[in-house]
Structure formats: C-alpha cells, structure tokens
Amino acid sequence: AAFTLRGTAKADAAQVVPSGPPRIKFAAIGLNHDHISGQVDAVIRGGGDLTAFFATEPDLIEKFSKRYPGAKLARSKAEVLEDQSIKLVVSAAIPDERAALGIEVMRHGKDYMADKPGMTTLEQLAEVRKVQAETKRIYSILYSERHENKATVRAGDLVKAGAIGKVIQTIGLGPHRMNPEKRPAWF
C-alpha cells in the first residue's frame, strides 16, 4: 500500500483535508503523546481513512474521540491487529513501549508509524530490524519537527527551489518544552 505524507502542519482536525479518496485504512494504538494528532492528520492528508483506535486511558479516549468522531474505539488491541482491512497502525505510545508494539503490528502483517523516538534501546532497534526483515513490513518514525513544522517545511521548500544553497547540516536542539510539573510520570 502506498501513501504520501504531506509536510504542511495543520492546527486542528477541522483543517485536515484528504488529498483524494481514501487509499489506505489505518488505526491508532497508543495515544499517550499529543503527536498522535499530527500523525493521524498527516496520514489523512495523504489519503488515509482512520477507521479505529485503541487506548485504555479514559481521558485520552475522550479527547481522541472528540477530534476524530468517525473512528471506532476498538474493544482491544487485538481487534485492531486482527482486522485485515487495516494496513497501517500509528502510535504515540509511551516511548519505551513503541518498539514492542511496532513489532507486534508488523507480525500481524501491517505497517507501523511511531512517534519519535521509535525505540529507546539498541536491543529494541536490533529486534525491530530483525522483524522488519522477516515480515517485509514498514516500521517508520514520523519526525514531526521535520515534516509537520511550518518553518521547517518552508525551509525545505526554499532549499528545493535553490534559494538557500547547499545544506551541509541541520540540527534540532530540544526539548522544545520541558514543563516537568505538567508532564505525565512516564515522561
């Protein structure tokens, strides 16, 4: 299945405009970081049809359901994984859980897009690579600062147009917002 991620940031779901008829059905599992909305919106803009999602946290379920009322809350993770019509799963789960989820998704014959970081240990990276090779599925990471930030997208457009010149290096220094008193314990 092919889909395109368009690098234009959108502020809310009302502004998400598919680029044509849906080309891929997808689901979300793990809504723990707000980047899940950017992931979902990007896939929708690229032709995705969000059909289902799964989470266990009532506050996250409520927030996600309001933003994406057309998506069905699955009764379990297995319900999403076993649905043969779903070809892609996106996730902004707790970072150290993302690799294991991606491996499970690929073993169910689906592609996977994680929020960054896509894994937190070299052991997870090795296992992801092994399962990727075995299943021939896609394990991707959406680097939102590169693909969903308006300033970065514009800079990329300028580079492509030759207005900036040859780019030797780019770097992003973070975190962009620490706010430890407002972050969940897992953060």
Side-chain angles (χ1 to χ4, degrees):
F3 57 95
T4 304
L5 299 180
R6 297 234 161 64
T8 53
K10 299 294 178 188
D12 59 69
Q15 294 178 327
V16 177
V17 179
S19 59
R23 297 183 303 213
I24 185 172
K25 289 187 178 190
F26 76 105
I29 299 176
L31 315 176
N32 302 89
H33 194 288
D34 284 342
H35 284 173
I36 192 66
S37 296
Q39 292 174 275
V40 169
D41 293 350
V43 177
I44 290 171
R45 285 192 312 273
D49 179 17
L50 177 65
T51 60
F53 72 99
F54 177 73
T56 57
E57 304 87 350
D59 58 327
L60 300 178
I61 292 168
E62 181 182 358
K63 183 178 176 181
F64 196 84
S65 294
K66 283 181 182 175
R67 185 170 173 116
Y68 304 103
K72 178 185 96 171
L73 173 61
R75 293 177 300 248
S76 66
K77 179 171 58 169
E79 183 179 332
V80 171
L81 296 176
E82 293 169 10
D83 183 335
Q84 296 301 307
S85 72
I86 294 171
K87 304 300 181 190
L88 169 71
V89 173
V90 299
S91 181
I94 296 171
D96 66 353
E97 299 172 3
R98 293 174 186 167
L101 175 60
I103 288 166
E104 192 174 5
V105 167
M106 290 187 296
R107 287 193 169 136
H108 278 84
K110 300 173 188 331
D111 296 326
Y112 181 67
M113 180 201 297
D115 184 22
K116 59 170 181 10
M119 61 276 304
T120 58
T121 68
L122 292 175
E123 292 78 15
Q124 288 178 344
L125 174 61
E127 186 66 16
V128 164
R129 286 179 170 164
K130 177 181 162 229
V131 174
Q132 228 181 353
E134 289 171 1
T135 63
K136 306 296 187 234
R137 303 310 314 172
I138 297 170
Y139 186 110
S140 64
I141 303 168
L142 178 59
Y143 292 95
S144 56
E145 282 79 3
R146 170 63 187 99
H147 298 287
E148 293 293 303
N149 178 288
K150 288 180 183 181
T152 307
V153 170
R154 177 67 177 135
D157 292 343
L158 291 171
V159 169
K160 287 178 193 169
I164 291 178
K166 182 179 179 184
V167 176
I168 297 170
Q169 178 182 4
T170 61
I171 186 168
L173 302 172
H176 45 278
R177 258 183 284 142
M178 191 64 172
N179 301 332
E181 67 282 351
K182 294 182 181 179
R183 297 288 190 170
W186 61 261
F187 188 83

